Amino acid sequence: MPPASPSTRPRLVGQPLLYAISVFASLGVFLFGYDQGVMSGVITGPYFRKFFNEPTAIEVGTMVAVLEIGAFVTSVAAGRVGDSLGRRGTLFSGAVVFAIGGAIQTFTPGFWTMVVGRIISGLGVGLLSTIVPIYQSEISPPNHRGALACMEFTGNIFGYASSVWIDYFCSFIESDLSWRVPLFIQCVIGAILALGSLAMPESPRWLIDVDRDEEGMRVIADLHGGDPEDLVAKAEFQEIKDRVIYERESGEGRTYAVMWKRYKKRVLLAMSSQAFAQLNGINVISYYAPRVFEEAGWVGRDAILMTGINAIIYILSTLPPWYLVDRWGRRVILLSGGVVMALSLGLTGWWMYIDVPETPRAVVFCVIVFNAAFGYSWGPIPWLYPPEILPLSVRAKGVSLSTATNWLFNFIVGEMTPELQELIEWRLYPMHGFFCVCSVILVYFLYPETKGVPLEEMDAVFGEEELEERLEDEESERASLVSRRSSRSRRSGRLPGAPGAGLVSRLIGRTDGRASYEPIRDGDE
């Protein structure tokens, strides 16, 4: 019997392919989750402190937070990189750079080399943290997009938890290997991701956007079961292609300036989601959990152990959104999580303030509740939301700005936390609780719901005013768009932000906006 041809060899298609891509892409977020957690246990170790001559709070903060400088730089650049190299090529590049940075950290001879290694790892993290959510959103079907993104975030937290427990077990090593081994593991994971990314398919939306239609159709067909004649796959291909052609014919530019002018509201929402993910206080815990527990009365290795227990519960808290995010929607999860986080941080500060014998156990409980609420809400959703709401023409650039915002505020929180822990002590935690309250208010009034909406139809979520703005200088085309808007308004009836509704109604009415969303059909045009 002759050998099977390449086209007939068994290969992953359909849901197995989709989940395989999601699991493997999660290695990218596993990496920066690992990197966020690994330093929390390392910096409290006696051999680490001795090697770096008992570093000051500023030096510790710099070693921890300087990674965000590198991540900020490449997350800004990742928009252009992702559009030129593709999603898969950017993923490969990020993994290679991250592994190089990890090697420099592992074999560092001193403080400044460690700082350089952290910055280089940050360059890789910036690419990965920008491109993985884009890649995930572009291969996911609308009704499972949220769940797959939340699974990806679970990979991030699994990386964080793994680093904490590796720190704990390595703390029993009586040498500098107690901190060099956890840092070296970064290199191994980075190398695995780099090699594996070469076997992953490219994003079909990027392929179609650069006129590699045949390859794009093949990937779409594989995601739908492998049949190139599948009607659903052909319809999806055509919808994406029509959107690409429409954006080109409308003269829609792809620069940051054009994106800011035409999609400012969407970009600001994407950036705010990532800013509050940090201002809400998660990295006070992720980066410095052992120090927080030491403040509360746990000492030495026990503080790392408490951090490990907290990390396990943190992982478990990321599982409910797998089921809930595409049923409840994004808004309900963000609102409920923000309220619980605010209460937990307020109580953490209060227990530290009164400083009674019950304080150590009470602080552990409050921190665990806070971490669980974050893992269920403000952890996964800000990585899901920006790629959803931004159009294909500027998606990579818009997500790069939102991710850069994450790393900017990540750096600010990481750098300032050791100083603030010494300067304002227990007041640090209610301060971040206040930001949680601000985030709840922002989501309630300004964030539209996006569950179940195809990426190519996201304009409808923001109202047809967006379409008018694109062609405001072209009277005839604007009149045509007004006509289309009227037709769609009659069809959907309750579309969020519809013309004629008052400002308050248009803001608050988004709470159940997705219940009235209907996909745009060819016959409706």
Side-chain angles (χ1 to χ4, degrees):
M1 180 180 293
S5 66
S7 60
T8 60
R9 285 176 185 155
R11 68 186 193 281
L12 286 177
V13 295
Q15 284 199 341
L17 173 62
L18 180 63
Y19 289 124
I21 293 172
S22 299
V23 168
F24 197 82
S26 294
L27 268 182
V29 291
F30 178 96
L31 272 178
F32 65 85
Y34 184 93
D35 203 271
Q36 285 177 305
V38 71
M39 291 298 286
S40 68
V42 162
I43 60 177
T44 61
Y47 288 96
F48 179 89
R49 300 194 65 84
K50 180 180 178 181
F51 184 85
F52 289 98
N53 299 316
E54 299 298 326
T56 65
I58 289 293
E59 288 174 328
V60 170
T62 299
M63 280 190 284
V64 171
V66 76
L67 176 134
E68 276 72 57
I69 294 178
F72 174 80
V73 170
T74 48
S75 60
V76 171
R80 295 187 183 278
V81 176
D83 283 340
S84 59
L85 294 183
R87 308 336 187 193
R88 188 177 64 172
T90 307
L91 191 64
F92 173 80
S93 302
V96 169
V97 172
F98 183 91
I100 293 171
I104 294 173
Q105 293 174 58
T106 301
F107 301 106
T108 179
F111 174 79
W112 289 110
T113 308
M114 172 66 83
V115 169
V116 170
R118 293 285 290 169
I119 292 175
I120 292 175
S121 283
L123 296 175
V125 166
L127 291 174
L128 292 172
S129 60
T130 301
I131 213 65
V132 170
I134 294 173
Y135 182 71
Q136 183 72 74
S137 71
E138 290 185 347
I139 65 162
S140 303
N143 57 329
H144 295 303
R145 189 172 61 234
L148 291 169
C150 290
M151 291 178 191
E152 177 187 295
F153 181 74
T154 299
N156 176 276
I157 304 309
F158 183 66
Y160 167 74
S162 299
S163 70
V164 171
W165 281 103
I166 288 171
D167 282 346
Y168 176 71
F169 289 118
C170 287
S171 70
F172 290 92
I173 301 175
E174 300 294 331
S175 71
D176 285 344
L177 291 177
S178 62
W179 58 270
R180 292 190 190 271
V181 168
L183 294 177
F184 177 72
I185 291 175
Q186 298 174 100
C187 310
V188 177
I189 303 168
I192 293 172
L193 178 61
L195 292 174
S197 66
L198 300 177
M200 297 169 66
E202 181 55 86
S203 160
R205 284 175 167 85
W206 182 81
L207 291 169
I208 295 168
D209 193 37
V210 296
D211 295 323
R212 292 162 61 177
D213 292 0
E214 185 177 342
E215 295 175 64
M217 181 62 210
R218 188 182 308 124
V219 175
I220 292 174
D222 284 346
L223 290 169
H224 282 278
D227 180 8
E229 299 302 318
D230 182 83
L231 294 179
V232 176
K234 285 187 171 182
E236 182 176 332
F237 170 85
Q238 195 59 52
E239 185 175 26
I240 297 170
K241 189 64 179 178
D242 288 347
R243 180 69 187 186
V244 169
I245 292 171
Y246 167 76
E247 289 172 352
R248 291 177 183 174
E249 290 180 348
S250 68
E252 187 169 272
R254 291 172 174 246
T255 65
Y256 282 98
V258 170
M259 176 186 69
W260 184 255
K261 178 181 178 182
R262 295 179 178 174
Y263 299 105
K264 179 167 65 175
K265 179 179 179 181
R266 301 194 201 190
V267 173
L268 287 174
L269 288 179
M271 293 172 68
S272 70
S273 69
Q274 290 284 21
F276 276 104
Q278 300 307 314
L279 289 174
N280 286 354
I282 184 57
N283 279 330
V284 174
I285 308 302
S286 294
Y287 286 159
Y288 301 106
R291 289 175 66 119
V292 173
F293 292 134
E294 283 180 345
E295 277 188 290
W298 299 92
V299 180
R301 190 175 289 125
D302 288 342
I304 304 178
L305 178 61
M306 290 300 103
T307 305
I309 294 171
N310 171 58
I312 291 174
I313 298 173
Y314 194 4
I315 291 177
L316 295 176
S317 73
T318 68
L319 302 182
W322 293 19
Y323 177 81
L324 299 175
V325 70
D326 289 316
R327 289 167 174 79
W328 290 4
R330 289 51 163 156
R331 283 170 50 89
V332 172
I333 291 176
L334 289 174
L335 291 170
S336 56
V339 169
V340 175
M341 289 159 60
L343 293 173
S344 301
L345 287 170
L347 288 172
T348 299
W350 183 76
W351 280 107
M352 287 186 172
Y353 169 69
I354 62 174
D355 194 18
V356 294
E358 292 80 12
T359 290
R361 289 185 296 275
V363 167
V364 168
F365 177 78
C366 290
V367 166
I368 286 174
V369 171
F370 167 80
N371 257 146
F374 181 87
Y376 145 83
S377 59
W378 282 89
I381 305 302
W383 294 105
L384 162 66
Y385 201 67
E388 285 190 317
I389 65 176
L390 291 161
L392 177 62
S393 61
V394 295
R395 182 171 296 136
K397 293 181 175 65
V399 173
S400 77
L401 283 185
S402 70
T403 306
T405 303
N406 173 285
W407 293 114
L408 174 63
F409 282 88
N410 206 316
F411 171 76
I412 293 171
V413 173
E415 182 70 27
M416 294 300 297
T417 292
E419 279 292 297
L420 291 176
Q421 283 175 325
E422 295 180 1
L423 186 64
I424 64 175
E425 300 174 333
W426 61 269
R427 299 171 186 85
L428 174 65
Y429 307 99
M431 180 187 81
H432 285 289
F434 168 75
F435 287 122
C436 292
V437 173
C438 293
S439 70
V440 167
I441 295 171
L442 184 70
V443 170
Y444 185 79
F445 284 105
L446 292 179
Y447 278 44
E449 184 55 72
T450 58
K451 72 169 183 177
V453 184
L455 297 180
E456 282 66 44
E457 298 181 18
M458 201 60 68
D459 283 339
V461 175
F462 288 86
E464 295 299 319
E465 292 91 344
E466 292 262 335
L467 296 178
E468 286 184 350
E469 290 174 3
R470 294 181 193 174
L471 301 172
E472 59 188 355
D473 296 326
E474 301 175 32
E475 287 295 332
S476 61
E477 291 191 38
R478 179 162 55 179
S480 173
L481 290 174
V482 169
S483 175
R484 289 176 62 192
R485 180 185 65 190
S486 299
S487 172
R488 290 184 192 167
S489 296
R490 287 193 297 271
R491 182 180 78 246
S492 59
R494 294 179 292 149
L495 188 64
L503 176 61
V504 175
S505 299
R506 287 161 61 187
L507 293 176
I508 300 178
R510 290 186 174 122
T511 302
D512 60 354
R514 286 288 55 75
S516 62
Y517 172 80
E518 293 182 16
I520 300 170
R521 301 176 178 85
D522 292 338
D524 294 325
E525 297 299 319

